[in-house]
Amino acid sequence: MSSFLSRAALAASSIAVLILSPMNPVLAAEVVDTHSYANSAEVRTTHLVIDLDVDFAKRRLKGVTELQFEKLKPDADRIVLDTRALDVRSAEASADGKAWAATQFVLGANDAVLGQSLTVSLPAGATRVRIVYSTKPEATGLQWLKPAQTAGKKQPFLFSQSEAIHARSWLPLQDSPAVRATYEASVKTPKGLRAVMSAEMSDQPDAAGRWTFKMPQPIPSYLIALAVGDIAFQSMGPRTGVYAEPATLKAAAYEFAETETTLAVCEKLFGPYRWGRYDLMVLPPSFPFGGMENPRLTFVTPTVITGDRLLVSLIAHELAHSWSGNLVTNATWEDFWLNEGFTEYLTYRLTEAQFGKARGDMERIIGVASLKTDFALAKSDEDRKLVRAFPAKDPDEVFSSIPYERGALFLVWLESKFGRETFDRFLRSWFDDHAFQSATTPQFIAYLNDKLLKAQPGKVSAAQIDAWISQPALPADAVYATSDALTKVDAGRDAWLAGTTTLDAIGAEKWSVQEWEHFFEGFPKTATAAQLKALDTRFKLTGSPNAIIASDWYKLAIDSGQAAALMPQIEAYLGHVGRMKLISPIYRALAATEAGKAQAKAIYKKVGSGYHPIAQQTVERILKGS
Ligand code: BES
Ligand code: ZN
């Protein structure tokens, strides 16, 4: 632990120094990743060759991972990798792939968050090592689904989720976003099941029955992804298509048919798409996130398939990561806002460009509402900053909408200062000048200073930038969107609650999901049983096929103390959906009272084994009250 703290202190001090002196190139080059054991300043992975055998019965991957590397320190005699709960059988080394010979390896002590280091000795001349290993059923980066948890109900399913530091639970590698490597892979699946990865792939296995993959662009480890199951494909456009279970494929292809256009819109704004194809992989409902921007193959929750194409800003978000995140990558997890804040800003711009300003503004307002919620939930001022002074121990534990929405608001504010045209040119050059590189917040500030602030002196001060990034309070001059549609929703809700209008008169039958979200967002916790009943009767909220509306409704019913009659439906919902953004608010609302907490614990005991390991940890934290 002491080494963790000292590295953390070092990182914090270099951020502080750099903010004071943004152009210092010596410090700018020094990236300290407190979430990785890797000695990547000495030996740096350049290419991976991954071979996996998928064993559903034992819930494990048997693997051989080869790492090709360059030595930044010529006399380095070891490579240090990250692992978590891997059974490491052997390690071998080779010079340029010639004769492999066994080499020594040592697994370090286990840390609950970081896992174990794996130090592999490098004989003189070695340029590659390979590790023979298997994963454990509890690998935090994998979810193994029973057939009952899939749409088809007949075949099992497996998917990975590597971000932030879970790649190490299924691949021994330098698990830091500051390290980029190309990869190739081959995956053996049970008969009839297909494997897909975040890479170029073909629609047939090779002669040996293995699915093969190639990712020619260098990517950070958190973007390596795998899914295995009864997976079919449907094309949507020249560069876009969707993978899903056969039972889900048609609805998914309809829902996401506008993706090809979004891709073109994004290219027009932010430069060429550099990854070849852009496909989607629709996962079963236990996928713990809305989406994950795995390159060439975004993973997406089925809970956005609502038949009305209204939740596709999720796709715009994951697509936008092809610029902010995958092309220019946060160098450490403290710089997470460089991925997510930028991407959220890009998403609003894409929504506006493709679907009009009114829809873009509605989404911005909903984003700000989630920022306000997470500001209130934050345990300390440290969590409210865009970049904390000291790295958090566990990136999963501090995950919130703050880097997303505060980050986006920061960029909106910069846009307002310099004008859209100038700011767009700036953003585009940020992506071009840092393509296929990782970047730190100080590097961004230095670039901002150099390209924008210095060119137009007096517009924005260093203190203002610092307030956005390193101070807890939101700057008072943040620029917020307004929306006539959402103002009407407010008026309708408030008038109905005050008894001055009827439910039929508020226009809700024509509301989009965004209007419903806003309706629930502003709902007081004091609504009466009769009011909630009237709402449910009129709009059939209980059991709504729209998972977002259902989640908001159940939360409201629980918050108002009116959920007793709905518990069977709430339990069914929590047993079906595993997306954290939808289930966490329900668990949190239940946990607010002692009786509710007991109910939540009982439900979790029944359904929790169906959640992804990351979702299990999140719910357990809520129920423990930490
Ligand atoms: N990269 C994130 C998901 C993520 C973040 C996974 C951190 C693990 C650790 C992805 O791009 C994302 O932001 N997903 C959001 C989408 C939303 C903001 C449109 C989600 O899942 O809710
Ligand atoms: Zn994202």
Side-chain angles (χ1 to χ4, degrees), residues 379-455:
K379 288 194 205 79
S380 74
D381 268 351
E382 210 47 47
D383 294 348
R384 300 191 174 95
K385 299 174 180 175
L386 219 38
V387 179
R388 41 175 40 80
F390 289 89
K393 175 84 211 262
D394 182 353
D396 287 340
E397 192 167 355
V398 296
F399 180 84
S400 85
S401 64
I402 290 166
Y404 288 76
E405 302 303 335
R406 185 180 181 135
L409 279 178
F410 175 34
L411 300 188
V412 167
W413 178 83
L414 283 171
E415 181 202 316
S416 78
K417 296 288 173 196
F418 294 96
R420 184 165 274 193
E421 226 174 280
T422 305
F423 192 63
D424 281 358
R425 235 179 297 122
F426 165 77
L427 276 183
R428 195 172 167 151
S429 68
W430 166 252
F431 296 137
D432 287 341
D433 290 348
H434 300 83
F436 299 107
Q437 293 172 29
S438 301
T440 62
T441 301
Q443 280 168 343
F444 173 70
I445 295 171
Y447 192 85
L448 178 68
N449 260 316
D450 201 33
K451 304 284 175 189
L452 263 188
L453 273 50
K454 271 198 335 214

Side-chain angles (χ1 to χ4, degrees), residues 149-328:
Q149 288 177 278
T150 67
K153 313 280 181 211
K154 292 211 177 73
Q155 297 281 10
F157 200 100
L158 164 70
F159 65 87
S160 70
Q161 168 56 44
S162 295
E163 192 179 17
I165 54 170
H166 299 285
R168 65 190 66 178
S169 75
W170 63 287
L171 297 160
L173 41 60
Q174 295 188 308
D175 196 10
S176 167
V179 177
R180 308 183 82 87
T182 50
Y183 80 84
E184 63 198 281
S186 92
V187 181
K188 177 101 175 92
T189 64
K191 225 174 145 241
L193 298 191
R194 177 167 189 179
V196 294
M197 289 189 83
S198 54
E200 290 174 10
M201 46 191 169
S202 64
D203 56 6
Q204 293 297 325
D206 68 8
R210 301 183 75 93
W211 299 91
T212 58
F213 306 91
K214 194 171 159 229
M215 169 43 78
Q217 290 96 346
I219 56 163
S221 54
Y222 76 88
L223 294 176
I224 304 176
L226 167 71
V228 179
D230 181 10
I231 296 170
F233 175 78
Q234 187 169 326
S235 170
M236 298 192 296
R239 284 183 292 176
T240 55
V242 60
Y243 293 86
E245 285 189 70
T248 314
L249 189 61
K250 211 170 147 232
Y254 175 82
E255 198 78 27
F256 304 131
E258 297 154 323
T259 305
E260 189 78 33
T261 306
T262 317
L263 177 54
V265 171
C266 203
E267 284 188 305
K268 198 154 171 241
L269 283 170
F270 303 112
Y273 180 74
R274 308 188 200 213
W275 305 90
R277 290 193 57 83
Y278 181 75
D279 293 319
L280 304 171
M281 170 73 234
V282 179
L283 291 168
S286 69
F287 183 53
F289 291 97
M292 177 64 214
E293 66 271 28
N294 299 314
R296 296 178 66 97
L297 186 67
T298 280
F299 282 14
V300 50
T301 174
T303 60
V304 292
I305 302 177
T306 47
D308 57 13
R309 296 180 174 169
L310 281 182
L311 291 166
V312 294
S313 65
L314 178 96
I315 306 300
H317 176 102
E318 306 312 336
L319 171 67
H321 272 305
S322 308
W323 286 258
S324 47
N326 300 5
L327 189 61
V328 185

